[in-house]
Amino acid sequence: MSDSKVINMWAGPRNISTTMMYSFAQRSDTEVVDDPLYAHYLLHTGVDHPGREEVLEDMSTDGQTIMEELATRKHAPQWTFLKNMG
């Protein structure tokens, strides 16, 4: 991810991951990315989560493209916090 240092947090449901994400979002040197692969997961597993259709409409489902975009940002912050669901 450019010169950005990455904190990649994978968490289970009902975890403190959202609290951690909001804490890191308060830092001016940190960009937070919330579940960048969620739509990819929904599409490829067929899981029927609440809001599934809205997520699939709003987010990219191409995991490779998502990771490439994160890795090749031109103006990356000092830190990137990725929150993912396991």
Side-chain angles (χ1 to χ4, degrees):
M1 290 192 172
S2 311
D3 293 328
S4 185
K5 297 174 186 133
V6 178
I7 300 168
N8 189 7
M9 180 178 199
W10 289 84
R14 304 281 183 212
N15 201 301
I16 64 165
S17 59
T18 301
T19 302
M20 294 290 294
M21 178 183 72
Y22 287 136
S23 296
F24 277 97
Q26 299 304 309
R27 295 177 52 110
S28 61
D29 63 347
T30 304
E31 175 186 16
V32 169
V33 182
D34 185 12
D35 295 321
L37 298 171
Y38 187 44
H40 174 82
Y41 163 78
L42 291 176
L43 179 69
H44 293 282
T45 63
V47 172
D48 187 22
H49 280 188
R52 181 182 198 281
E53 294 308 314
E54 292 85 357
V55 171
L56 291 173
E57 288 174 16
D58 290 341
M59 294 179 71
S60 172
T61 58
D62 184 341
Q64 184 67 34
T65 299
I66 294 164
M67 296 311 294
E68 286 173 5
E69 288 173 358
L70 285 170
T72 59
R73 294 174 298 164
K74 298 244 189 268
H75 302 289
Q78 181 178 352
W79 290 92
T80 300
F81 181 89
L82 297 175
K83 177 190 160 263
N84 297 285
M85 292 299 287

